[in-house]
Amino acid sequence: MKVKRSTMLVVGVMASSALAISAPAAGALSNSAPSAITASAVVSLDHVKFLQDGVNIRAEATTKSPSLGLAYKSHKANFLASVRGENVNGEFNWVKLKDTTTGVTGYVNAAYISLIP
């Protein structure tokens, strides 16, 4: 019995930067373990810019969560993850980040930040 395998090409877009992941060609079938998927031209989105001063960095993705500290436009921060949280003025997306100026790690609603590639 012959087993037919299919190959998939995955392409995504992250904050206006293309993400391309390649897989083996369709004819390259074997009985061995699948080869690793390699990322080509992956753009890092690890910098966050605060859009206003006095933004609360919270312990969880909700305004009911305690504030761990405040962020300001002059602060630098690293993007860690994106999560769905409490709706704040129509925005459900929250970003887990680390404010590298203060060392505080927590969540900020996406309405108060922008990602910088």
Side-chain angles (χ1 to χ4, degrees), residues 7-14 17-25 35-43:
T7 303
M8 176 189 249
L9 177 65
V10 179
V11 177
V13 176
M14 292 177 49
S17 299
L19 172 67
I21 300 176
S22 60
S35 61
I37 295 175
T38 57
S40 59
V42 174
V43 177

Side-chain angles (χ1 to χ4, degrees), residues 12-60:
V13 176
M14 292 177 49
S16 302
S17 299
L19 172 67
I21 300 176
S22 60
L29 300 179
S30 71
N31 290 330
S32 63
S35 61
I37 295 175
T38 57
S40 59
V42 174
V43 177
S44 172
L45 295 174
D46 58 353
H47 299 312
V48 175
K49 177 182 177 183
F50 296 102
L51 300 176
Q52 65 186 49
D53 288 330
V55 174
N56 282 300
I57 301 174
R58 301 203 178 265
E60 298 295 330

